Amino acid sequence: GLLRIDHVGVAVPDLDEAIDFYQRTFGMTCVHVEENEEQGVREAMMQVGPTREGGCVQLLAALRPDSAIAKFLDRSGPGVQQVAYTVADIDATCAALAERGVRLLYEAPKTGTAHSRINFVHPKDAGGVLVELVEPAKSS
Ligand code: V0V
């Protein structure tokens, strides 16, 4: 099942400007920046409190015009694009959710931030919210 809120994803037109804004305005710390070619994003994890327990805001900028984030920005403008939950076993969680009748976007999980495994519930099956499931990489 779900363990906690992993991050809230916010679509932004300019990643560096957004990082600067979140640091100066909210005092958040940028703990990770990564480009994900498959997802068409450059993303930054902004840690909310002094530890990772406080959760993160993930800033998401588009790498190309046909990407999910570019489409979202065109349609809705900047703002919350997704809510992501940490799961211990993404395969089991996806199987359970599929059984409960919601559409998962991918047949098998794809690679997300920091070598995590990710999948999504279609927003039309979750009350208008794009729900992401994140199984973090096992830290050794
Ligand atoms: C679209 N819709 C949304 C939405 N995106 N509603 C809420 N939140 C969103 N983010 C609505 C849209 O307004 C339409 O509603 C309807 O869904 C259109 O659905 P569609 O035609 O099936 O699909 P698209 O082309 O609009 O694409 C939506 C989906 C796409 C969710 C299928 O964005 C996608 O594949 N997302 C998953 C990948 C992703 O988001 N990657 C970027 C983050 P009406 O007008 O019909 O009512 S990457 C990431 O999070 C990483 C790397 C990480 O966390 O580690």
Side-chain angles (χ1 to χ4, degrees):
L2 311 186
L3 298 176
R4 69 185 82 87
I5 291 178
D6 191 276
H7 62 264
V8 174
V10 175
V12 303
D14 183 306
L15 192 68
D16 296 324
E17 261 179 38
I19 292 170
D20 188 57
F21 174 80
Y22 273 74
Q23 283 173 339
R24 284 187 296 105
T25 308
F26 299 118
M28 294 185 195
T29 310
C30 182
V31 292
H32 186 76
V33 177
E34 184 176 330
E35 207 166 284
N36 186 319
E37 184 59 39
E38 185 176 41
Q39 291 293 330
V41 296
R42 214 176 135 233
E43 50 102 356
M45 279 295 182
M46 305 301 296
Q47 184 177 290
V48 173
T51 68
R52 272 315 252 269
E53 298 304 299
C56 283
V57 169
Q58 182 184 42
L59 303 174
L60 296 157
L63 278 183
R64 41 175 195 269
D66 65 337
S67 62
I69 296 303
K71 275 193 185 173
F72 183 88
L73 287 168
D74 284 344
R75 183 156 44 200
S76 313
V80 174
Q81 188 254 353
Q82 55 168 256
V83 176
Y85 301 100
T86 314
V87 301
D89 180 343
I90 195 167
D91 302 302
T93 301
C94 287
L97 287 172
E99 198 155 290
R100 290 168 203 160
V102 302
R103 270 171 298 165
L104 283 308
L105 292 187
Y106 310 134
E107 221 164 283
K110 294 189 187 281
T111 301
T113 188
H115 307 290
S116 56
R117 300 170 72 222
I118 63 173
N119 205 338
F120 296 85
V121 177
H122 196 284
K124 290 292 165 194
D125 291 354
V129 178
L130 175 60
V131 171
E132 182 183 355
L133 306 162
V134 184
E135 182 190 298
K138 307 273 177 286
S139 50
S140 45

